[in-house]
Amino acid sequence: MATLEGCRCRGASARTTSSILYSILKSDSLVTPEEQQQHAQHQTLHLLLHKTPSSSSSSSSCSSSSSAPPASLQELRQQQQQACSCGSTRRRGVLRSPQVTCKAASAVLVKTLRFVKNVPCFRELPEDDQLLLIRSGWAPLLVLGLAQDRVDFETTETVEPSMLQRILTGQPERQSEAHQSRAAPGVSVVDIEAIKAFLKKCWSVDISTKEYAYLKGAVLFNPDLEGLHCLHYIQSLRREAHQALNEHVRLIHREDTTRFAKLLIALSMLRAVSPSVVAQLFFRPIIGAVNIEEVLMEMFYGK
């Protein structure tokens, strides 16, 4: 069982830390959290969903995941770059039904933050570590929640003007990639396909509620982040999440010897999920150019 020995974590000296097996299952099975906090979160989202999208060009504060994407996704990106190098249009996509999909994603975000808040060993971490883990994990946790709630979505492609079109219409030459992500509508089709591929993978495996809980624990406790104070403790929590998942699979699915490997493959696909892509695809169509990180902190800490 993971312990907080050697870490400057709140509450470490006051009581023995529960194992992640208990903490995650307890968190994911809670159906009666603090009603006032949950109501406040819904109010925050309600206000944001009815705001007029801002016309400012402020960029999303969330940086992309530092982990390397799977080889298949890298090949897709290379193909896209090769297609764009000759001056052809870049494929981007937007939600076909943004009102419906964004509200569904917002509901999943509330449930995701409630899950994180109810994991005791997470709340015992120093606040700096909590912030790092939330900023790193909210997007893959949200996509994992979309899979669990079977939230599907459809997109339609938009077209970026080609070099010839920009010349004929007097538009400036190709801008920086960061500026394009803010100005161009939608997100890369490759990123959309990566998210949809993960959802289909989860649905094909038919992941159970307990398995989703263990996967969330493995995603939340990410020891690969720089600046963590309780690095070794977080490493042990991720290791316990994997062990608990493996034991559950061996107990419930004894006949399926490849199930644990399938779940790990699905987990690895989340490495390609970019927070900026998730924010732009699922939230920007409704709330505009709002700093999603500030929204997360307000919902989680009530600030």
Side-chain angles (χ1 to χ4, degrees), residues 95-112 139-155 192 194-203 207 212 216 278 281-283:
L95 292 173
R96 185 169 296 177
S97 302
Q99 294 285 344
V100 175
T101 305
C102 292
K103 288 184 178 181
S106 298
V108 173
L109 181 61
V110 171
K111 293 172 63 176
T112 298
L141 284 172
L142 175 65
V143 176
L144 196 57
L146 294 177
Q148 183 174 6
D149 289 357
R150 291 191 170 270
V151 177
D152 201 358
F153 62 94
E154 296 295 331
T155 59
I192 294 175
I195 295 175
K196 293 183 77 68
F198 171 77
L199 296 178
K200 291 179 180 178
K201 180 66 175 179
C202 291
W203 298 335
I207 302 176
Y212 273 117
K216 290 176 185 177
V278 173
L281 180 63
F282 293 112
F283 297 103

Side-chain angles (χ1 to χ4, degrees), residues 14-301:
R15 58 189 176 88
T16 304
T17 306
S18 301
S19 70
I20 196 170
L21 174 63
Y22 169 78
S23 299
I24 290 179
L25 283 180
K26 179 176 182 296
S27 173
D28 208 43
S29 62
L30 287 176
V31 294
T32 58
E34 301 88 339
E35 295 296 330
Q36 292 182 351
Q37 293 180 353
Q38 185 176 2
H39 178 68
Q41 291 174 350
H42 280 292
Q43 279 187 327
T44 300
L45 282 175
H46 177 76
L47 292 174
L48 289 170
L49 290 175
H50 289 82
K51 281 184 178 180
T52 302
S54 173
S55 58
S56 63
S57 60
S58 61
S59 60
S60 171
S61 64
C62 301
S63 60
S64 60
S65 174
S66 60
S67 301
S72 59
L73 182 60
Q74 289 179 340
E75 292 174 358
L76 287 173
R77 291 188 184 280
Q78 291 175 357
Q79 293 174 4
Q80 184 191 39
Q81 292 173 357
Q82 291 173 358
C84 298
S85 63
C86 62
S88 61
T89 59
R90 292 194 178 190
R91 299 172 61 204
R92 301 179 70 84
V94 295
L95 292 173
R96 185 169 296 177
S97 302
Q99 294 285 344
V100 175
T101 305
C102 292
K103 288 184 178 181
S106 298
V108 173
L109 181 61
V110 171
K111 293 172 63 176
T112 298
L113 294 180
R114 187 179 67 189
F115 164 81
V116 174
K117 185 178 294 187
N118 288 325
V119 176
C121 50
F122 175 82
R123 295 309 300 263
E124 290 173 351
L125 292 170
E127 186 169 298
D128 290 344
D129 283 5
Q130 292 184 26
L131 293 175
L132 284 173
L133 294 177
I134 292 175
R135 288 167 178 163
S136 168
W138 76 266
L141 284 172
L142 175 65
V143 176
L144 196 57
L146 294 177
Q148 183 174 6
D149 289 357
R150 291 191 170 270
V151 177
D152 201 358
F153 62 94
E154 296 295 331
T155 59
T156 182
E157 286 192 27
T158 60
V159 179
E160 178 190 345
S162 65
M163 183 180 297
L164 177 60
Q165 289 174 321
R166 288 196 299 271
I167 294 174
L168 293 177
T169 57
Q171 297 181 19
E173 294 185 2
R174 187 172 299 280
Q175 302 159 324
S176 66
E177 184 176 349
H179 187 273
Q180 283 180 355
S181 64
R182 297 194 300 265
V187 299
S188 167
V189 169
V190 174
D191 290 319
I192 294 175
E193 290 175 348
I195 295 175
K196 293 183 77 68
F198 171 77
L199 296 178
K200 291 179 180 178
K201 180 66 175 179
C202 291
W203 298 335
S204 67
V205 178
D206 194 19
I207 302 176
S208 67
T209 300
K210 287 186 178 180
E211 289 169 339
Y212 273 117
Y214 296 134
L215 291 174
K216 290 176 185 177
V219 171
L220 175 62
F221 297 108
N222 180 9
D224 300 328
L225 304 176
E226 295 184 1
L228 291 172
H229 298 292
C230 296
L231 174 62
H232 296 296
Y233 177 57
I234 293 173
Q235 285 177 334
S236 66
L237 290 174
R238 170 174 279 189
R239 184 165 54 249
E240 282 195 22
H242 283 142
Q243 291 174 350
L245 176 62
N246 190 19
E247 291 174 4
H248 172 78
V249 170
R250 291 169 56 187
L251 178 64
I252 304 300
H253 302 276
R254 297 179 181 178
E255 72 288 349
D256 190 352
T257 58
T258 64
R259 184 173 183 82
F260 182 64
K262 293 177 182 177
L263 293 174
L264 291 184
I265 291 174
L267 195 62
S268 69
M269 295 173 70
L270 280 176
R271 297 174 184 172
V273 174
S274 165
S276 60
V277 169
V278 173
Q280 188 170 359
L281 180 63
F282 293 112
F283 297 103
R284 186 165 184 174
I286 299 298
I287 65 177
V290 174
N291 190 324
I292 188 65
E293 188 172 302
E294 292 180 358
V295 175
L296 289 170
M297 295 303 102
E298 181 179 354
M299 293 174 62
F300 192 83
Y301 291 105

